[in-house]
Amino acid sequence: PRWGDKTPMYMRHLPLLERLFPDAQYVHLVRDGRDAAVSFVRMPGGTYTRTWAHPDTPAEFARLWRTEVLGARALGERVGAARYLEVRYEDLVASPDDVVGSICAFAGLPFVPEMLEYAGEVDVSAKPHQQRLRQPPTVGVRDWRSELGAEEALSFEAVAGDVLAALGYPLLGPEPESPGLRARLGLGVYRTRLAAWNLATAAVQRSPLWRLRHPARPTRRGFSRAGGFS
């Protein structure tokens, strides 16, 4: 989750969020990056905004996934366990009551079963890429073992296999200590393209025309909880 006009761009600006919301709590939902790659690469066209850094293959998606997962985990190390909770997607869909209960406890909120009774209540008529909201959390919605070719899975692991292993996900190939030269070059290209996109976006958003079409909205002060997933 996940990737659309409402893409969680905040994952790329976590240090800024730390400064803006010094007391924020963060819930980081982690999913096996190879399953996330299947979901992302197969998303229907027109459901998200393509950027200069847009991934088109599992290996390219691995660069995004690695960057955002490591960024969120670094944030967790900075803010500590009282403000950062890491949750596995696979645990959430297997035992939603337990995991949502733990998130509520972390956030200081009461858990009520109705939180999980959204299936069939959400209007997804205009969201062809979010039809899974019609059903409750389901195990095995995506399975990279059957939906990715071995070469594609290994290309993902060449970039982010060390992060997958650190998170406890079994690898198809041998565990790399770090990305190889080719993967590092790819990561460098991704970071350069992403930086260029961010600079261009910042310049556009400072223009009078942008501000006219997107007037500032009032925000509720004193409360902020940010969450993210990779």
Side-chain angles (χ1 to χ4, degrees), residues 185-208:
L185 290 173
L187 283 164
V189 170
Y190 168 74
R191 290 168 184 147
T192 300
R193 294 173 67 185
L194 179 60
W197 171 259
N198 287 339
L199 286 172
T201 300
V204 169
Q205 291 178 347
R206 289 187 175 91
S207 70

Side-chain angles (χ1 to χ4, degrees), residues 8-174:
M9 300 294 285
Y10 54 77
M11 292 293 288
R12 302 172 188 173
H13 302 287
L14 293 177
L16 173 62
L17 287 178
E18 286 185 78
R19 296 195 299 272
L20 292 176
F21 307 108
D23 299 320
Q25 290 179 285
Y26 303 84
V27 177
H28 182 203
L29 182 62
V30 180
R31 186 182 189 181
D32 187 318
R34 294 157 297 188
D35 286 336
V38 171
S39 180
F40 182 84
V41 171
R42 296 188 180 180
M43 189 175 294
T47 59
Y48 47 79
T49 300
R50 298 179 66 91
T51 73
W52 301 340
H54 179 84
D56 290 310
T57 67
E60 292 177 357
F61 179 80
R63 300 168 190 168
L64 182 154
W65 184 86
R66 176 191 181 90
T67 300
E68 296 194 349
V69 167
L70 290 181
R73 300 195 97 193
L75 166 69
E77 292 182 1
R78 292 194 298 272
V79 303
R83 294 177 52 206
Y84 174 88
L85 177 66
E86 189 169 280
V87 176
R88 287 170 64 112
Y89 170 86
E90 294 80 5
D91 295 335
L92 174 63
V93 296
S95 185
D97 292 71
D98 292 338
V99 174
V100 173
S102 69
I103 294 172
C104 288
F106 167 74
L109 299 172
F111 169 73
V112 292
E114 288 78 8
M115 290 178 174
L116 298 173
E117 296 177 359
Y118 62 85
E121 301 296 328
V122 182
D123 181 8
V124 293
S125 57
K127 302 176 182 179
H129 59 301
Q130 294 182 352
Q131 297 302 304
R132 294 289 181 182
L133 291 175
R134 295 177 181 270
Q135 64 187 64
T138 305
V139 176
V141 166
R142 293 291 185 185
D143 185 358
W144 65 267
R145 295 168 185 80
S146 60
E147 298 185 71
L148 278 185
E151 185 175 345
E152 291 178 312
L154 289 172
S155 70
F156 186 102
E157 293 178 11
V159 176
D162 56 332
V163 182
L164 284 169
L167 291 166
Y169 292 109
L171 302 181
L172 182 63

